[in-house]
Amino acid sequence: MDKKIIAGNWKMNGNMDAVALMADALKNIDLSHVTIVLCLPMPFVGASAILSVETGVQDCSAHESGAYTGEVSARMISEIGAKYVIIGHSERRQYHNETNLVIAEKAKQALKSGLIPIICVGETMEEKQAGETNTVIEKQIRECVPGKGAIIAYEPRWAIGAGMTPSNEEIKREHGFIAEILESMGLGGTPILYGASVKGGNAAEIMSIPNVDGVLVGGASLKAEDFLPIIQAV
Ligand code: PEP
């Protein structure tokens, strides 16, 4: 991969002033070596015109259209100018009971509408301690990734927002494992991001690990003072 991808997940945080402040902080960034994607809360994506970077959202419907009150289709998201959509984030799996099957349907809708799905996979602490990490990740990838055009984000669920990360050796092993699975599915070359507790202080080291094509950043993507050092780490 020639360009690293740095994706920010704002979750349900921020406001229009925060988007404007981030737009201002990012306006002079050299984008020749890095693709920056801000995955904003859905109502703020309309502000993408003021952003010099790519925009995305954090979910889309598994349905194309119809009587699904409250849902937003991938086509609608694409029409307002977003290019990316996070799918199957652990918070969606945990709080909205999203299964691999639903996540696969969402990813299909995204691809069909020209969006790039960032499909999240990762194990819980219980699964890690039971030695089930690879089994869980392989099942998630085989069941959730419908084909070419997606990005994978490996996000160990126990490390998200926890201020701790796996060791570099663990990240190397899991990213290598994910790359092998994708290869076996005919999806070699699919970018694989690492996510969970990425900060300015660890971003350069993490992005130098083989098969780490970029990072998905939660908390540290909300303020320019935290996000810019991650971008500068590329
Ligand atoms: C996330 O929720 O996708 C994430 C990576 O969060 P954090 O960086 O805050 O751990």
Side-chain angles (χ1 to χ4, degrees), residues 113-167:
S113 305
L115 294 175
I116 301 175
I118 302 176
I119 302 172
C120 299
V121 300
E123 78 285 6
T124 61
M125 183 50 98
E126 293 70 42
E127 289 161 345
K128 179 180 165 64
Q129 284 170 342
E132 292 167 358
T133 299
N134 284 3
T135 315
V136 168
I137 292 175
E138 177 161 9
K139 188 167 159 57
Q140 287 173 337
I141 293 176
R142 292 202 186 275
E143 293 183 359
C144 297
V145 184
K148 273 203 187 302
I151 292 175
I152 305 300
Y154 170 54
E155 297 209 302
R157 289 169 67 166
W158 51 272
I160 293 178
M164 54 180 173
T165 58
S167 68

Side-chain angles (χ1 to χ4, degrees), residues 162-211:
M164 54 180 173
T165 58
S167 68
N168 290 352
E169 212 31 62
E170 283 174 305
I171 297 176
K172 183 175 167 197
R173 194 179 60 225
E174 294 316 324
H175 277 244
F177 179 64
I178 292 169
E180 270 174 33
I181 298 166
L182 290 166
E183 189 74 48
S184 78
M185 293 167 71
L187 300 173
T190 297
I192 308 166
L193 312 184
Y194 168 79
S197 297
V198 175
K199 302 182 211 64
N202 61 15
E205 207 179 337
I206 290 174
M207 280 190 276
S208 69
I209 297 172
N211 293 306

